[in-house]
Amino acid sequence: MLKIEGLRAEIDGQEILKGLDLEVGKGEIHAIMGPNGSGKSTLSNVLMGHPRYEVTGGAITFMGEDVFELEADERAKLGMFLAFQYPSEVPGVSVANFLRTAVNSVREEELSPMAMYKLIQEKMKIMQMDPKFAERYLNEGFSGGEKKRNEILQMLMLEPKLAIMDETDSGLDIDALQVVAKGVNELRGPEFSAVIITHYQRILRYIEPDHVHVMLDGRIVTSGGKELALELEDKGYDYVRQEFGAGTQS
Amino acid sequence: MPEDKTIQELGLDEYKFGFRDPEEYFFKTPRKGIDAEIVAMISKHKNEPEWMLEYRLKALESFFEKPTPQWGGDLSELDFDEIYYYIRPMENQGRTWDDVPDDIKNTFEKLGIPQAERETLAGVGAQYESEVVYHSLKEEWDKAGVVFMDMDSGLREHEDIVREYFGTIIPADDNKFSALNSAVWSGGSFVYVPPGVHIDIPLQAYFRINAENMGQFERTLIIADEGSSVHYIEGCTAPTYTSNSLHSAVVELIAKPNARIRYSTIQNWSHNTYNLVTKRAVAEENATVEWVDGNLGSKLTMKYPAVYLMGEGARGEILSVAYAGDGQHQDAGGKVVHAAPNTSSLITSKSISKGTGRSTYRGLLKVHEGAVNSKSRVECDALLLDENARTDTYPYIEIEEKKVNTEHEATVSKVGEDQLFYLMSRGLSEEAAMAMVVNGFIEPIAKELPLEYAIELNRLIQLEMEGSVG
Ligand SMILES: Nc1ncnc2c1ncn2[C@@H]1O[C@H](COP(=O)(O)OP(=O)(O)OP(=O)(O)O)[C@@H](O)[C@H]1O
Ligand SMILES: [Mg+2]
């Protein structure tokens, strides 16, 4: 489904991703953990096609297609989705209007206004969002947790094949965390894959990953099953640095 | 041009209203340029009373005396000798839509009139070149004593009212362009709303320039008598020519005690039209005047709708949005004068600039001594769509009274890369993402318009932006 090979990327001349490999199969849930600044958001942005990053090496294929040829919107239409660590605010554009436009952009055929309305209501209910959020301006004045819920709402509306979730769990209270997990599990199935970027194994209790990877200095340095998350939380990143940091220095 | 040809086929799709009709007219001034002879000819042609001719001639002197403004936009290419000042397209005004000649009718039908009238309007006026070619007012408002007609008919049928108010809000010698309009004015609307009458759906006037080198000088006077209310909407377009056209209107509004006037404009001139308009309103005791102003197209727009708050408790609001694309300059803003206690005002100005486009906010807020407890707020926001676009703000504030509350806020923002990426990551194309940010930006103004007009405003801005993303 998603295959990343030897990915190198830089921003403003600074190399951040330094030869990253990752393969995500159909229906799999992967977790990526790693210290601040290790390049997790950079990876998310590069995967989704942020124009500010320059890819200097490697390859990314999604469903057999070379995504470097595609703009962000084309990647979205292929079924990629990024839940942002820091979603942008768009004043004057209501959540409902935005969702309508987004859903109709990725779909082959436009949804009727009635069907759209129902869909929005249904998904907001799953996310336990007050219906009046539909008329609020996109992310404007939303609390941190509300923004995250809104990201998952968008994911439910767009039904991607691959979701990258960049610290969606950060800053969520326990209830919100469960709601977000419920949202993700809603989509879980043989046709849905996810890459969950997180600092805590807490969320992984609700969304069980098939694989856990540790990212350090622009690379995946070790991978394992869900027990790796627990081990990390126990031992901290210093342990990882000692174990893998030096040996992978190029 | 054959009527069935689409605009795209004509290659004018960047300005949707750029189509033109053949120039066949009932009467056109024999030459370009302006002098006393032309002014007298216009007045005579209209069979006007002597005082109006004198008024025009005096205004013409002011026009010659006043220098072309050196502030604001670049007027150096505007050649007053290269303009036709009066063109009368047909002999008599249409009473019914069928009376209007086919080519003119087709033009207005392409512009969406009169479908709009049938559905949502209390009355419609359509001006083509210098004259209003069609006018209608729904019977119920006619019965209620509402007057809605073109200014020339107003002068004929309600000479006393016109004589009492005409030019009292904007004197002929107010500025060079009000002087010009006062000398050669033709068409525009005359509206009178009797005391206590609330016209709950809008009156609309539509202004269309068709001829090349044409000057359109409509003159509008709206009087809302005590405790009445009215919403007047105007829309404007012109075809695309290589040489310049001039649109120079004068609009005077009078809101008597407790009356309310809302005047909404969506101007969408072709990119070689000079749009130099003087708009001013007086609000008496507890009256409210609102200008909602959308400025699109044109080469240069200079327009600063004004409200004079003359009576205690009067309220004024000016909402304006301007879009300056490549090579365009929108010099717009608002002016509020607080001349009585407990008056309040709000100016909200939003501008969008793209490419070499330039937008300027120019505003004046004046509070006279004695206008105690006045409240005023000015907010101007500029949105730049790319690196070259330019915006400036000139907020003049003169306050002579201590017991007042004024606020001023100005912001400049660029459409951010992150914002666009966010929207694009949800499947929106770059154009659609840009349009969404822009529509959101003008939402506070669009939501003040009736729904169809809000949609139209968004659509027009989208059309202007098309192909602009690169
Ligand atoms: N414009 C830039 N120029 C240089 N370095 C940058 C620039 N933008 C980001 N970086 C650096 O790239 C590195 C990776 O950042 P990134 O946001 O991908 O980290 P992260 O793993 O997501 O961290 P966190 O856990 O804090 O979210 C950081 O060291 C950051 O300072
Ligand atoms: Mg990050």
Side-chain angles (χ1 to χ4, degrees):
Chain A
M1 155 132 305
L2 175 74
K3 195 168 181 195
I4 307 173
E5 289 171 296
L7 180 64
R8 288 178 176 273
E10 56 183 50
I11 182 162
D12 299 337
Q14 178 86 27
E15 182 166 72
I16 311 291
L17 300 182
K18 303 171 180 172
L20 184 141
D21 301 295
L22 179 68
E23 203 169 332
V24 178
K26 225 171 153 182
E28 292 176 1
I29 306 282
H30 290 238
I32 297 181
M33 304 180 83
N36 296 134
S38 56
K40 303 180 300 296
S41 292
T42 303
L43 173 64
S44 314
N45 284 326
V46 169
L47 280 173
M48 203 67 219
H50 196 302
R52 205 182 303 145
Y53 297 85
E54 196 187 337
V55 176
T56 51
I60 304 176
T61 50
F62 176 66
M63 316 242 313
E65 281 209 50
D66 174 3
V67 302
F68 291 154
E69 299 297 316
L70 305 174
E71 299 275 351
D73 57 321
E74 295 165 314
R75 297 184 198 197
K77 285 180 188 137
L78 261 192
M80 292 174 83
F81 180 89
L82 169 60
F84 285 73
Q85 184 173 4
Y86 304 110
S88 291
E89 299 184 358
V90 189
V93 175
S94 71
V95 169
N97 179 10
F98 170 61
L99 289 174
R100 276 195 293 270
T101 313
V103 168
N104 283 332
S105 303
V106 300
R107 283 176 61 98
E108 306 244 301
E109 256 174 68
E110 287 205 355
L111 217 54
S112 77
M114 200 55 214
M116 183 71 77
Y117 175 79
K118 281 196 180 139
L119 193 65
I120 295 175
Q121 296 294 314
E122 178 199 325
K123 304 299 183 194
M124 286 185 84
K125 207 162 164 195
I126 296 173
M127 294 313 294
Q128 296 182 14
M129 286 169 82
D130 189 323
K132 62 178 192 281
F133 268 92
E135 291 316 313
R136 295 249 322 243
Y137 293 152
L138 186 55
N139 291 325
E140 197 183 47
F142 283 28
S143 76
E146 287 163 353
K147 282 185 183 168
K148 297 299 175 69
R149 265 184 220 225
N150 187 34
E151 290 294 287
I152 301 306
L153 172 67
Q154 291 168 41
M155 183 178 86
L156 292 182
M157 293 289 298
L158 294 172
E159 296 186 330
K161 296 192 180 72
L162 170 73
I164 304 141
M165 280 174 265
D166 191 1
E167 292 197 32
T168 303
D169 57 332
S170 292
L172 291 185
D173 63 37
I174 298 156
D175 292 351
L177 186 71
Q178 289 189 10
V179 171
V180 162
K182 191 169 130 215
V184 177
N185 287 326
E186 191 78 19
L187 285 180
R188 204 162 176 171
E191 297 299 320
F192 175 73
S193 314
V195 175
I196 298 173
I197 294 168
T198 179
H199 286 296
Y200 315 100
Q201 61 89 35
R202 202 175 57 150
I203 190 172
L204 304 178
R205 270 198 301 237
Y206 302 105
I207 312 168
E208 269 198 32
D210 302 302
H211 302 274
V212 175
H213 310 275
V214 179
M215 191 162 169
L216 201 63
D217 195 23
R219 258 180 295 234
I220 301 287
V221 293
T222 184
S223 304
K226 61 182 181 210
E227 65 292 340
L228 181 58
L230 281 168
E231 198 182 329
L232 268 178
E233 204 150 81
D234 242 21
K235 299 183 177 165
Y237 288 118
D238 270 348
Y239 157 80
V240 182
R241 276 196 194 92
Q242 274 160 22
E243 199 84 339
F244 303 99
T248 49
Q249 217 68 245
S250 45
Chain B
M1 150 188 129
E3 291 300 344
D4 51 271
K5 272 212 172 165
T6 64
I7 316 293
Q8 271 83 355
E9 285 177 297
L10 293 166
L12 296 168
D13 47 336
E14 72 272 9
Y15 177 64
K16 194 181 87 136
F17 304 118
F19 60 86
R20 42 185 108 151
D21 302 330
E23 296 183 23
E24 285 161 22
Y25 299 113
F26 178 71
F27 178 82
K28 181 175 181 175
T29 49
R31 55 192 156 83
K32 294 176 183 172
I34 182 174
D35 51 34
E37 198 187 335
I38 293 279
V39 169
M41 194 182 290
I42 294 171
S43 185
K44 180 154 182 279
H45 191 81
K46 290 174 176 291
N47 239 328
E48 286 179 346
E50 190 63 24
W51 66 268
M52 184 52 82
L53 173 63
E54 278 163 24
Y55 184 87
R56 287 177 182 274
L57 290 171
K58 205 161 158 257
L60 183 67
E61 278 169 33
S62 300
F63 169 69
F64 287 137
E65 278 162 23
K66 288 199 172 288
T68 301
Q70 295 302 305
W71 52 272
D74 177 8
L75 292 165
S76 60
E77 279 175 43
L78 173 59
D79 187 347
F80 293 107
D81 297 331
E82 278 302 311
I83 286 169
Y84 285 103
Y85 285 83
Y86 179 75
I87 297 176
R88 180 172 179 175
M90 56 194 266
E91 189 173 356
N92 294 308
Q93 191 180 109
R95 286 271 148 231
T96 71
W97 193 239
D98 288 337
D99 296 340
V100 179
D102 280 346
D103 51 349
I104 298 178
K105 199 157 60 185
N106 284 332
T107 295
F108 283 112
E109 271 166 7
K110 269 189 242 171
L111 300 169
I113 304 181
Q115 292 100 294
E117 170 191 16
R118 284 200 289 269
E119 290 151 21
T120 53
L121 300 171
V124 164
Q127 177 159 348
Y128 194 83
E129 319 296 20
S130 303
E131 294 286 347
V132 173
V133 294
Y134 172 69
H135 230 285
S136 78
L137 177 66
K138 284 194 179 142
E139 207 182 313
E140 69 171 298
W141 303 113
D142 195 28
K143 279 200 185 125
V146 173
V147 177
F148 175 50
M149 54 180 60
D150 67 282
M151 195 67 220
D152 296 277
S153 302
L155 177 61
R156 271 193 304 275
E157 295 174 30
H158 301 275
E159 190 181 338
D160 45 339
I161 308 183
V162 171
R163 195 165 186 177
E164 184 179 347
Y165 292 104
F166 192 95
T168 55
I169 313 298
I170 303 171
D173 62 359
D174 184 79
N175 65 73
K176 189 168 182 79
F177 295 100
S178 64
L180 178 61
N181 176 284
S182 299
V184 298
W185 73 267
S186 184
S189 300
F190 174 65
V191 178
Y192 172 77
V193 189
V197 174
H198 297 278
I199 312 181
D200 51 14
I201 50 176
L203 298 172
Q204 166 157 324
Y206 208 93
F207 298 95
R208 171 75 178 172
I209 295 179
N210 181 62
E212 189 161 13
N213 296 319
M214 170 69 196
Q216 193 174 55
F217 305 95
E218 90 265 12
R219 181 87 189 198
T220 290
L221 174 62
I222 299 178
I223 301 161
D225 216 327
E226 279 193 43
S228 70
S229 68
V230 60
H231 184 183
Y232 179 93
I233 298 181
E234 62 167 28
C236 320
T237 60
T240 305
Y241 287 114
T242 48
S243 54
N244 302 321
S245 312
L246 171 62
H247 174 252
S248 189
V250 166
V251 177
E252 298 175 287
L253 311 184
I254 298 161
K256 298 277 188 181
N258 298 304
R260 182 190 188 98
I261 301 177
R262 171 174 282 208
Y263 191 110
S264 302
T265 306
I266 297 180
Q267 295 196 323
N268 182 30
W269 295 112
S270 61
H271 293 191
N272 48 5
T273 305
Y274 285 93
N275 183 32
L276 312 166
V277 171
T278 311
K279 288 182 165 173
R280 192 173 300 162
V282 161
E284 297 182 7
E285 203 181 320
N286 290 317
T288 298
V289 172
E290 295 158 315
W291 295 105
V292 180
D293 213 43
N295 296 305
L296 284 101
S298 87
K299 177 178 187 147
L300 168 66
T301 290
M302 287 172 70
K303 181 158 57 146
Y304 324 96
V307 187
Y308 283 64
L309 302 166
M310 304 306 288
E312 184 159 359
R315 218 176 64 80
E317 191 167 333
I318 302 165
L319 284 168
S320 74
V321 54
Y323 180 92
D326 264 333
Q328 292 178 289
H329 184 185
Q330 302 283 2
D331 198 288
K335 183 170 158 184
V336 175
V337 176
H338 291 258
N342 301 312
T343 47
S344 61
S345 68
L346 174 64
I347 299 179
T348 310
S349 160
K350 300 226 165 213
S351 71
I352 300 150
S353 323
K354 179 212 91 195
T356 58
R358 179 178 167 201
S359 64
T360 306
Y361 170 78
R362 196 179 298 278
L364 172 68
L365 171 67
K366 184 163 177 143
V367 183
H368 282 283
E369 200 182 335
V372 290
N373 298 323
S374 291
K375 267 194 291 210
S376 140
R377 183 174 160 74
V378 178
E379 189 183 324
C380 34
D381 302 320
L383 182 68
L384 304 177
L385 299 192
D386 50 41
E387 297 302 318
N388 299 327
R390 175 173 164 196
T391 183
D392 312 283
T393 308
Y394 302 101
Y396 300 101
I397 298 179
E398 293 170 24
I399 296 176
E400 296 166 356
E401 173 59 53
K402 286 201 187 71
K403 279 182 71 185
V404 294
N405 181 344
T406 60
E407 293 168 46
H408 176 86
E409 198 179 298
T411 67
V412 177
S413 46
K414 281 198 181 118
V415 176
E417 205 176 29
D418 286 328
Q419 217 175 20
L420 282 184
F421 175 59
Y422 184 62
L423 297 177
M424 286 177 72
S425 78
R426 302 302 185 242
L428 278 73
S429 67
E430 192 170 355
E431 279 90 353
M434 191 70 104
M436 183 167 265
V437 174
V438 168
N439 285 348
F441 177 74
I442 62 166
E443 165 70 14
I445 290 171
K447 75 168 190 249
E448 293 300 320
L449 292 166
L451 186 64
E452 314 87 83
Y453 296 89
I455 291 169
E456 180 69 359
L457 180 66
N458 284 346
R459 210 176 54 81
L460 289 175
I461 289 184
Q462 224 145 311
L463 271 170
E464 287 277 324
M465 282 171 52
E466 254 163 40
S468 71
V469 182

